[in-house]
Amino acid sequence: MNSAEIRKQFLDFFASKQHQIVPSAPLVVKDDPTLMFINSGMAPFKDYFLGNKPAPYKRIADTQKCLRVSGKHNDLEEVGYDTYHHTMFEMLGNWSFGDYFKKEALAWSWELLTEVYKLPKDRLYVSVFQGDESENLPMDEDAFNIWKSMIAEDRILMGSKKDNFWEMGDTGPCGPCSEIHVDLRTEEERAQVDGKTLVNNDHPQVVEIWNNVFMEFNRLADGSLVKLPAQHVDTGMGFERLCMAIQGKRSNYDTDVFQPLIQFIAKEAGVTYGENEKTDIAIRVMADHIRAIAFAISDGQLPSNNKAGYVIRRILRRAVRYAFTFLNFKKPFLYKLAAVLADQMETVFPELKQQLSFVQRVIEEEENAFLRTLENGLKRLDALEDKFKENNNTIDGKTAFELYDTFGFPLDLTALIARDKGLKVDEAGFSVEMEQQKNRSRNASASEQTDWVILQPDVVNEFIGYDVDTTESHIVRYRQVKTKNKSEYHIVLDKTPFYAESGGQVGDTGYLISATEQIEVLDTKKENDLILHITSKLPQNPEVAFKSQIDVERRNLIRKNHSATHLLHAALRKVLGEHVQQKGSLVSEKVLRFDFSHFAKIEEAQLREIEHIVNERVRQSIPLEEQRNTPIADAKAMGAMALFGEKYGEFVRVIAFDREHSVELCGGTHVYNTGEIGYFKIVSESSVAAGVRRIEALTAAAAEDYMQQQLNELNAVREVLGSQSNISGAVEKLQEENKALQKQLEAFELKQLTTLKDSLVQKTQQLDGVNFVAEQVNVSNADYLKKLAFDMRQAVDNLVLILAAEIEGKPQIAVMLSDNLVSDKKLNASQMVRELAKEIKGGGGGQPFYATAGGKETAGLQAIPAKALELVKSMINNG
Ligand code: ATP
Ligand code: MG
């Protein structure tokens, strides 16, 4: 059975058990400060388990893209070395939200594995939670009894809290779980060692494939467990591991999920997969990492220098490093793999194929940049080699850490290079540096949350700010959050006009007002579907009614900028083409910023056209067409485009300004009529990453102010020029005149220089067969001083020339000697100029026949001719 069939059978099986099949959520998590990437199938459904929101279906099944490279679940360092952990993998899952429980879940998983996929029963083991005294939890007897009716009792293993009590994070929903493991060893291997002893023991052919979690508890901040109001089932099966089991392979990488990538890499590298452990690991790393990189980028996460973007950058660099070191790929290569992957995944995850050229461009640019960094790091190591040799042939921990931190060299790479050079690495020193950095970032970001104080259980918060700016609200729950130097409160209301930051639009500010006090709302944010009003204090009595009131003026500015962003998006697609896709946006009260895919700088004329189209729409005063709760299919039929990496429900909100022109899926707040925008002005166009451009623009009064400022500046110029109608013509003319004058000046100065030279020739003194000249002269730059000296050399034989001049406020001296004086009389211009430079508190040097010096004391110039005479006399007499 190939992998596509395996996936399909899973979904078909659960559809036949009345499960709603839903698409995978994007890998990148937006409204959840506790999670950067989806790391398990249940993550997109967190709100349903927490009771923040009712589940739309009681039964759901899907295949979910997961990434385990940060936080509680981090498998990155294993990947490539073992054969069954990936960075990005698919988790097949089925869920019950307060519906069926252990009995059905376990029976169905057994039916699917043994009857549909026909895995032999004598190769499967299951595990059951054995209980835990410290948590005061009993053994999971229900699960044990259910299994006993289906599988031989000696294949049911007892598991500790570590393996059989699943927790999403430090707090939140959790419960006992029951895992299914498969033994894929050969008959001979199985005869030698009992498979039971290898379960949960890191054996590459005895692996966990499926985990059935029974969500019963909520873990609170103080560590205690409380029962959830309802019981749920959350299961997750590793798709790639399942394929390995069904296809009878010994490694996930031997299945048809990975083979196309592996064969492509091996061919391009000129090696055979399976012949050499080192190159095999590198090939696996690349085949694995390209999936994480390509899907993260196609879901909207560009590599960058912080947070989620940095995680992706580091995965990419890890892949490049293995490719570079072990497979000799010295040029960008990974980006080519994205095409292989896109073809393979097209029917399940079409988003990659649809954005392939964009994704490839981003990857290639990153590869190029990192390969340059690698080279610089290697150079740095070379440059410090002598220092390391003196340091007992050791690369010190600080340098090793610098290479890691700034150049992306992990310790093992540094060690590898060190070995080639006969050096060691101070690994302990490296760990110390690493620990220090971790502490620094931990301290900066450490925050503590209290559990929610729940005033109204089962109340779901509702946003009513599309229609009203103020309402009467009650507090549903609140908590305190303490970070290093501040403490804030998160308040959830039953009804609220406050828009929580999302979709690029900033959160509202305003007030919660009761009969006795007024609490300022500093910002509004989202945590999944909870709307958090952020305040610096709590009301004295949180139970009373509040008038919740947003800052209307600020919201109005935001609305204008948001609607203008839609008009801009439409105009960009019209002028630049349909390849323009939104890649990010910021809509605040001050400015709007829009990032989008496009491959070249936008020409000035195009920018003007885009701006003009937007302003035309503004002048047409197009009314807002808003549709809430529209089925997503209808919205798409209207022409609305779903953004990649955005999670949409079945019902969406559509915002249109003239259906022919702009239709978007959007949760933001908008003007009722485009006329409100007043005026739209682009203020900058720039690049943010490979293939991504950014436009910043202003609307309404801010745009007017901006234009006024520009005009003021122009007027100031006009005034200086003296009431000119053709300003640019006038400035050009000034520039031309300036150039002509410059030329005249030069010619004039050269002429003067000749006169100066002639007068110096006149002043030549005879000193013991030497023609001596020492003068303070007037020249405007150092080049002229040099020219004067060389012209003198041409004009006078046996020349000893000393010139002193003030150039641009600083004293300078030049000494010029005829060649025969250097060779016969052993005079030296460098020596002489250094001696003379003492007068001007300076120094210098040059060649034996010509040398110059600069100094600090201009007043000393006067004394130079007399001192020079003395110096030369003494030198000639001594020589
Ligand atoms: P393991 O102990 O093997 O790391 P886990 O206990 O972390 O697994 P769960 O969190 O229970 O796994 O996830 C459910 C299923 O997802 C696992 O049974 C496994 O099949 C799969 N899985 C987990 N982590 C990975 C990974 N990094 N790569 C591929 N599949 C994975
Ligand atoms: Mg794990």
Side-chain angles (χ1 to χ4, degrees):
M1 208 183 296
N2 71 28
S3 56
E5 287 157 0
I6 293 172
R7 189 190 290 108
K8 182 169 183 304
Q9 292 222 350
F10 177 90
L11 299 174
D12 287 350
F13 178 82
F14 281 101
S16 79
K17 312 281 185 208
Q18 291 78 50
H19 285 65
Q20 177 72 26
I21 308 301
V22 301
S24 172
L27 264 183
V28 185
V29 178
K30 292 224 162 108
D31 300 317
D32 187 346
T34 64
L35 203 61
M36 285 197 275
F37 300 102
I38 297 287
N39 61 3
S40 60
M42 64 79 72
F45 306 127
K46 245 169 97 173
D47 268 336
Y48 309 150
F49 292 115
L50 289 166
N52 295 341
K53 190 168 133 175
Y57 305 100
K58 286 190 167 313
R59 300 177 180 187
I60 286 181
D62 69 5
T63 178
Q64 172 64 47
K65 290 178 273 189
C66 294
L67 198 55
R68 291 199 168 179
V69 290
S70 57
K72 186 174 160 73
H73 295 280
N74 186 348
D75 295 333
L76 183 60
E77 292 309 320
E78 260 75 62
V79 173
Y81 291 86
D82 85 5
T83 48
Y84 58 104
H85 280 96
H86 303 297
T87 53
M88 182 267 179
F89 64 101
E90 284 178 62
M91 199 185 280
L92 302 167
N94 57 291
W95 285 273
S96 151
F97 301 107
D99 188 35
Y100 64 82
F101 205 45
K102 296 183 191 180
K103 187 158 166 279
E104 295 84 344
L106 295 182
W108 287 337
S109 58
W110 194 247
E111 182 187 338
L112 178 64
L113 290 180
T114 59
E115 285 168 37
V116 178
Y117 292 136
K118 307 223 181 312
L119 289 178
K121 292 184 184 164
D122 70 346
R123 283 178 174 266
L124 296 173
Y125 294 92
V126 301
S127 68
V128 166
F129 179 49
Q130 68 188 20
D132 188 277
E133 253 172 52
S134 66
E135 300 273 8
N136 204 12
L137 290 170
M139 168 200 167
D140 189 350
E141 294 214 25
D142 294 344
F144 181 79
N145 289 327
I146 296 164
W147 279 124
K148 222 168 57 178
S149 70
M150 302 188 287
I151 183 172
E153 196 168 328
D154 70 338
R155 308 190 78 82
I156 309 175
L157 312 173
M158 288 297 137
S160 68
K161 190 175 122 182
K162 181 181 141 279
D163 287 317
N164 283 78
F165 193 87
W166 200 89
E167 309 208 32
M168 179 187 71
D170 294 335
T171 59
C174 54
C177 63
S178 190
E179 303 168 339
I180 304 175
H181 297 256
V182 65
D183 183 351
L184 298 166
R185 293 173 304 152
T186 61
E187 292 301 338
E188 299 86 76
E189 286 169 315
R190 294 205 313 142
Q192 277 165 18
V193 180
D194 185 358
K196 202 188 304 185
T197 63
L198 300 175
V199 167
N200 272 334
N201 261 327
D202 296 332
H203 191 288
Q205 274 87 46
V206 184
V207 297
E208 175 191 330
I209 51 172
W210 202 346
N211 197 356
N212 277 253
V213 182
F214 309 114
M215 297 281 188
E216 291 181 66
F217 302 104
N218 189 14
R219 172 83 67 191
L220 300 183
D222 66 1
S224 62
L225 293 173
V226 293
K227 268 250 177 217
L228 286 173
Q231 297 179 320
H232 315 284
V233 172
D234 153 32
T235 90
M237 174 150 62
F239 170 65
E240 299 76 11
R241 292 187 193 177
L242 177 67
C243 290
M244 159 170 77
I246 294 174
Q247 295 176 359
K249 306 289 187 194
R250 287 171 69 87
S251 153
N252 286 5
Y253 295 94
D254 293 342
T255 66
D256 67 333
V257 180
F258 285 96
Q259 275 300 306
L261 290 167
I262 292 206
Q263 294 311 330
F264 185 86
I265 300 165
K267 183 158 164 262
E268 296 280 319
V271 299
T272 306
Y273 181 69
E275 281 190 347
N276 171 312
E277 183 63 6
K278 273 222 163 81
T279 53
D280 283 358
I281 290 173
I283 292 174
R284 288 199 291 266
V285 165
M286 293 171 72
D288 174 274
H289 288 11
I290 188 60
R291 292 162 34 105
I293 299 159
F295 281 112
I297 297 173
S298 70
D299 276 351
Q301 185 56 63
L302 294 176
S304 75
N305 251 344
N306 54 50
K307 295 189 185 151
Y310 194 50
V311 174
I312 299 306
R313 176 163 283 170
R314 292 191 42 181
I315 298 174
L316 190 144
R317 289 180 169 188
R318 189 173 189 260
V320 172
R321 185 164 58 71
Y322 277 88
F324 180 90
T325 316
F326 299 107
L327 295 170
N328 214 23
F329 284 113
K330 304 292 183 211
K331 287 204 184 109
F333 169 72
L334 277 179
Y335 75 97
K336 295 186 189 162
L337 291 178
V340 180
L341 182 63
D343 281 339
Q344 191 189 339
M345 292 293 192
E346 191 179 359
T347 51
V348 214
F349 304 120
E351 57 274 18
L352 181 54
K353 181 95 183 186
Q354 286 159 357
Q355 301 175 85
L356 184 60
S357 64
F358 171 72
V359 172
Q360 286 192 309
R361 221 173 253 256
V362 173
I363 297 176
E364 188 182 358
E365 176 68 28
E366 277 288 311
E367 286 189 90
N368 261 321
F370 183 54
L371 285 168
R372 278 196 298 272
T373 316
L374 266 181
E375 230 157 76
N376 289 338
L378 290 173
K379 276 193 201 135
R380 175 124 182 88
L381 269 176
D382 284 343
L384 292 174
E385 201 166 334
D386 289 340
K387 198 187 117 195
F388 301 141
K389 292 227 163 94
E390 279 163 30
N391 183 27
N392 198 12
N393 284 325
T394 307
I395 300 180
D396 55 288
K398 231 188 162 88
T399 308
F401 185 74
E402 181 203 323
L403 284 166
Y404 163 82
D405 203 36
T406 343
F407 296 99
F409 281 41
L411 190 60
D412 58 358
L413 178 66
T414 307
L416 207 76
I417 299 167
R419 208 178 313 138
D420 285 348
K421 293 179 183 287
L423 299 169
K424 292 172 297 203
V425 182
D426 173 9
E427 299 195 5
F430 175 87
S431 306
V432 170
E433 296 286 329
M434 184 80 153
E435 202 45 43
Q436 281 174 354
Q437 195 200 40
K438 275 193 186 148
N439 283 337
R440 280 194 296 273
S441 56
R442 204 175 293 141
N443 290 341
S445 67
S447 79
E448 246 179 70
Q449 291 184 354
T450 62
D451 289 317
W452 287 109
V453 176
I454 303 211
L455 302 182
Q456 299 191 56
D458 299 329
V459 175
V460 175
N461 66 168
E462 187 189 0
F463 173 66
I464 56 170
Y466 294 137
D467 304 307
V468 301
D469 302 324
T470 178
T471 192
E472 186 183 287
S473 309
H474 288 88
I475 296 179
V476 175
R477 53 165 93 178
Y478 64 85
R479 72 178 171 204
Q480 188 182 16
V481 180
K482 277 187 246 167
T483 44
K484 203 167 167 217
N485 38 27
K486 71 171 185 212
S487 155
E488 58 182 31
Y489 294 88
H490 294 171
I491 297 178
V492 178
L493 303 174
D494 53 352
K495 287 181 292 180
T496 179
F498 284 80
Y499 181 85
E501 176 183 330
S502 63
Q505 180 176 330
V506 297
D508 276 325
T509 58
Y511 291 96
L512 302 181
I513 305 160
S514 72
T516 54
E517 59 184 330
Q518 171 160 326
I519 307 265
E520 189 176 355
V521 176
L522 306 166
D523 198 358
T524 313
K525 292 200 158 136
K526 248 187 184 181
E527 186 172 294
N528 302 303
D529 278 307
L530 285 183
I531 299 168
L532 311 180
H533 301 77
I534 298 172
T535 66
S536 61
K537 61 177 187 178
L538 264 192
Q540 272 144 10
N541 182 358
E543 316 242 347
V544 300
F546 290 89
K547 183 176 146 193
S548 46
Q549 166 75 57
I550 65 166
D551 179 338
V552 178
E553 226 168 276
R554 181 169 173 273
R555 164 74 84 76
N556 282 342
L557 294 172
I558 296 169
R559 292 193 300 126
K560 293 181 210 298
N561 280 339
H562 202 154
S563 301
T565 305
H566 285 204
L567 299 182
L568 171 64
H569 187 191
L572 283 168
R573 287 174 66 87
K574 190 161 177 184
V575 174
L576 302 178
E578 300 285 304
H579 63 278
V580 167
Q581 296 272 354
Q582 176 169 344
K583 289 290 164 212
S585 84
L586 170 77
V587 177
S588 77
E589 72 276 26
K590 296 199 184 83
V591 69
L592 68 92
R593 199 173 76 194
F594 190 70
D595 297 346
F596 54 97
S597 49
H598 182 61
F599 301 128
K601 186 165 174 50
I602 306 174
E603 285 160 30
E604 191 59 29
Q606 289 176 315
L607 276 180
R608 295 291 79 82
E609 193 185 342
I610 290 159
E611 203 172 77
H612 175 70
I613 293 174
V614 174
N615 278 315
E616 275 293 296
R617 302 300 174 204
V618 170
R619 284 188 283 272
Q620 284 162 359
S621 297
I622 306 167
L624 165 73
E625 180 186 352
E626 183 207 14
Q627 296 199 4
R628 291 181 207 166
N629 293 319
T630 302
I632 187 146
D634 294 2
K636 285 184 180 164
M638 270 175 77
M641 211 177 49
L643 297 182
F644 293 109
E646 210 56 58
K647 190 172 138 194
Y648 297 103
E650 258 176 279
F651 293 91
V652 292
R653 181 163 173 264
V654 182
I655 295 294
F657 293 104
D658 175 356
R659 288 195 187 190
E660 291 302 299
H661 183 64
S662 161
V663 185
E664 296 206 23
L665 302 176
C666 178
T669 60
H670 286 274
V671 297
Y672 297 105
N673 184 301
T674 59
E676 287 174 55
I677 295 167
Y679 178 53
F680 169 84
K681 182 70 200 159
I682 293 175
V683 295
S684 77
E685 188 273 342
S686 59
S687 155
V688 270
V692 183
R693 310 294 305 179
R694 165 172 296 176
I695 282 185
E696 287 186 306
L698 303 172
T699 64
E704 187 187 332
D705 287 349
Y706 174 82
M707 288 308 283
Q708 191 55 52
Q709 245 173 35
Q710 305 283 309
L711 275 180
N712 288 350
E713 237 162 77
L714 204 58
N715 282 336
V717 175
R718 197 171 266 150
E719 206 145 292
V720 174
L721 289 174
S723 100
Q724 281 278 354
S725 52
N726 176 5
I727 301 183
S728 65
V731 172
E732 254 165 47
K733 199 163 143 234
L734 274 181
Q735 278 178 333
E736 262 160 37
E737 280 173 13
N738 199 352
K739 235 185 257 163
L741 282 175
Q742 197 86 41
K743 262 200 191 133
Q744 274 180 21
L745 190 67
E746 256 166 50
F748 180 72
E749 282 198 291
L750 284 176
K751 214 161 149 199
Q752 265 213 327
L753 218 53
T754 313
T755 319
L756 190 55
K757 183 200 75 186
D758 291 344
S759 82
L760 287 179
V761 173
Q762 296 295 316
K763 289 182 182 163
T764 310
Q765 289 180 45
Q766 294 289 323
L767 276 184
D768 266 337
V770 164
N771 290 319
F772 174 81
V773 187
E775 279 286 317
Q776 186 173 355
V777 293
N778 235 330
V779 293
S780 62
N781 65 51
D783 285 345
Y784 288 153
L785 189 67
K786 187 172 177 184
K787 183 166 169 25
L788 184 59
F790 277 82
D791 287 352
M792 283 295 287
R793 180 182 157 92
Q794 289 283 318
V796 183
D797 290 337
N798 291 331
L799 175 71
V800 175
L801 170 73
I802 291 98
L803 296 173
E806 182 184 335
I807 290 170
E808 284 161 3
K810 295 219 173 91
Q812 280 208 10
I813 304 171
V815 176
M816 172 65 86
L817 304 173
S818 293
D819 286 338
N820 62 316
L821 299 184
V822 177
S823 52
D824 302 348
K825 301 226 169 205
K826 300 284 175 257
L827 296 186
N828 184 311
S830 284
Q831 264 170 26
M832 290 168 70
V833 90
R834 271 196 286 274
E835 182 59 32
L836 295 170
K838 290 176 185 162
E839 293 295 317
I840 54 167
K841 293 221 161 73
Q847 290 148 281
F849 78 98
Y850 177 65
T852 57
K856 289 181 213 136
E857 204 157 280
T858 317
L861 284 173
Q862 274 179 340
I864 298 294
K867 178 149 187 201
L869 180 61
E870 236 172 78
L871 179 70
V872 174
K873 271 187 182 160
S874 76
M875 285 168 62
I876 296 172
N877 290 339
N878 290 343

